Amino acid sequence: MTFMQPANRPAGRGKKMKELLDLFVVFARIGGFTFGGGYAMLPMLEKEVVNSRHWATEEELMDYYAIGQCTPGVIAINTATFIGYKIKGIPGGIMATLGVIAPSLVIITVIAAFISNFMELSFVNSAFAGIRACVCVLIFSAVLKLGKKALVDKITVGIFAVVLVLSLFTDISPAILVVLAGAVGIIIKGRGKKA
Amino acid sequence: MIEMFIRFFGCGLFAIGGGLATLPFLYDIAEATGWFTFHDISNMIAISESTPGPLGVNMATYVGYHTMGVIGALVAPLALVFPSVIIIIGISKILDKFKTAAVVQNALYGLRAASAALIAAAGIGVAKIAFLGSEQMQEWSFSGLGQLINWKAVLLAAVVYGGLVKFKKHPIVYIVFSAVIGIIFHY
């Protein structure tokens, strides 16, 4: 946890404010370019939070996503709160969350107020057809990277395969799948240790 | 306004599993208050899918604005995220304390694999919309499949992937690039 080193501890109020502002700005940028729900945020989180700023590790990111699935609320918000809290405690959690929702508030309000025919604008549809193709690639490349960290043995590959099939072909809630996967982890790993 | 806060607070408290999970709650609110109609909700979904940001937040903002103007657009999404923030901060505190416990480590070991699978499934969902045409295939055939696939989108995806591997730029760069390509070539 490099960010916990004394050198990075806030020296005073000014530094603290700057770090909070930093959280807000980074998460606002992520929120402003997350097209298509919380999962689409992953490639951006990986780049900004894991690679550039080292605010969290890839494993932690997976944990936050999984826990965000089975706790109430929007996944994107849950993940932002987790990371913000980890960096700067409760104010950090609040700032990261406000950051991630700020672009939505502005954009949706503007659309609701001024653009009544937003969906009929052909350039909007064209742009989004392009963005969707791009977002798929970004998500899969993020999954490949994170998968290396999560799928460490046969058991985890098995869990991955079962959850993938169930979530593609059944209506079972993701929350239930996550809880079951956690239970499997506890049972199999716990037993393995005793043996 | 207080009623709006309470209703969206409840929505945020009980909707588990992302933006679309808020839908049943929105239908409830529509029925109970008449603030908006079911038709409005389907409009909202379409707009939310074509704007950045989490679906749930977008919908709350849209509903809030339509019922109460700018104040509503602030109150509804804040009420929606309020319960999450409290719950997640609570969980973070607990996790910090028990992070090293074997049970927690074992649970997370299983959770990460599930998490990767759910994200992959979401990617496949987006891929279906992005690469398959909207027309239903009448009969199974290879030529039918060829028509069904949106080749322009596949080509763009290949270009983006090539760029991603070669240049490792920020994801925003690729998103903006794809939006521009989409507009220029009428995707």
Side-chain angles (χ1 to χ4, degrees):
Chain A
M1 288 204 269
T2 46
F3 61 90
M4 290 293 272
Q5 279 166 5
N8 284 351
R9 286 246 174 91
R13 186 167 267 174
K15 181 119 188 254
K16 208 170 194 171
M17 284 305 294
K18 202 196 153 285
E19 280 175 318
L20 284 176
L21 198 67
D22 224 26
L23 270 173
F24 182 85
V25 170
V26 167
F27 276 94
R29 190 157 58 219
I30 294 172
F33 282 89
T34 299
F35 294 96
Y39 291 107
M41 199 175 141
L42 189 69
M44 228 101 60
L45 282 173
E46 224 232 54
K47 173 80 183 171
E48 296 258 5
V49 173
V50 178
N51 293 340
S52 306
R53 285 161 207 273
H54 307 290
W55 280 345
T57 62
E58 275 152 340
E59 286 91 343
E60 284 170 325
L61 206 56
M62 306 290 282
D63 297 345
Y64 297 156
Y65 255 73
I67 298 170
Q69 283 285 343
C70 48
T71 49
V74 185
I75 298 162
I77 303 297
N78 294 350
T79 312
T81 312
F82 260 128
I83 296 167
Y85 178 82
K86 193 184 162 221
I87 308 305
K88 278 264 137 278
I90 292 173
I94 293 170
M95 281 305 262
T97 306
L98 290 179
V100 92
I101 66 173
S104 301
L105 299 199
V106 175
I107 293 169
I108 298 290
T109 304
V110 168
I111 289 174
F114 303 110
I115 316 174
S116 58
N117 61 339
F118 181 73
M119 291 311 293
E120 277 103 66
L121 301 174
S122 72
F123 80 89
V124 172
N125 286 319
S126 302
F128 275 89
I131 288 173
R132 270 195 297 270
C134 174
V135 166
C136 293
V137 175
L138 293 176
I139 291 181
F140 281 119
S141 106
V143 168
L144 281 180
K145 269 185 229 156
L146 295 174
K148 273 184 217 151
K149 304 274 176 171
L151 309 180
V152 289
D153 52 23
K154 276 183 198 153
I155 300 163
T156 41
V157 171
I159 295 175
F160 176 86
V162 171
V163 173
L164 183 62
V165 168
L166 287 178
S167 62
L168 283 177
F169 299 108
T170 69
D171 290 332
I172 301 174
S173 152
I176 293 170
L177 296 174
V178 167
V179 171
L180 286 178
V184 169
I186 291 173
I187 294 165
I188 294 182
K189 269 266 181 163
R191 210 183 45 192
K193 216 160 262 174
K194 263 176 234 153
Chain B
M1 192 161 93
I2 291 165
E3 194 190 349
M4 175 177 267
F5 187 88
I6 292 170
R7 290 209 177 261
F8 276 96
F9 187 89
C11 184
L13 186 58
F14 295 112
I16 298 177
L20 285 175
T22 54
L23 272 183
F25 294 92
L26 285 179
Y27 284 116
D28 276 354
I29 295 175
E31 235 169 356
T33 63
W35 287 339
F36 47 92
T37 63
F38 288 2
H39 180 74
D40 287 333
I41 296 178
S42 44
N43 261 344
M44 274 177 245
I45 298 170
I47 290 177
S48 289
E49 280 172 351
S50 308
T51 47
L55 195 59
V57 174
N58 288 348
M59 293 209 272
T61 311
Y62 193 88
V63 172
Y65 183 84
H66 270 285
T67 30
M68 239 163 244
V70 175
I71 293 172
L74 280 174
V75 169
L78 286 179
L80 182 78
V81 304
F82 200 52
S84 314
V85 172
I86 295 170
I87 292 169
I88 296 295
I89 287 176
I91 293 178
S92 289
K93 286 202 157 145
I94 296 168
L95 260 187
D96 276 350
K97 228 176 236 171
F98 298 103
K99 216 166 15 191
T100 47
V103 163
V104 174
Q105 282 302 316
N106 294 344
L108 290 177
Y109 158 91
L111 286 187
R112 285 177 196 148
S115 191
L118 290 171
I119 297 162
I124 292 171
V126 183
K128 257 195 256 171
I129 305 169
F131 302 132
L132 299 182
S134 48
E135 314 94 87
Q136 287 287 305
M137 214 186 337
Q138 296 302 322
E139 258 172 76
W140 172 257
S141 70
F142 275 106
S143 64
L145 189 66
Q147 282 161 14
L148 199 69
I149 292 175
N150 184 345
W151 291 108
K152 279 201 280 192
V154 174
L155 187 67
L156 177 59
V159 171
V160 169
Y161 185 73
L164 201 61
V165 171
K166 200 154 179 222
F167 303 114
K168 299 191 192 315
K169 285 259 186 319
H170 196 288
I172 292 175
V173 173
Y174 302 104
I175 292 174
V176 172
F177 168 79
S178 304
V180 171
I181 295 290
I183 293 170
I184 294 174
F185 294 99
H186 297 287
Y187 269 58

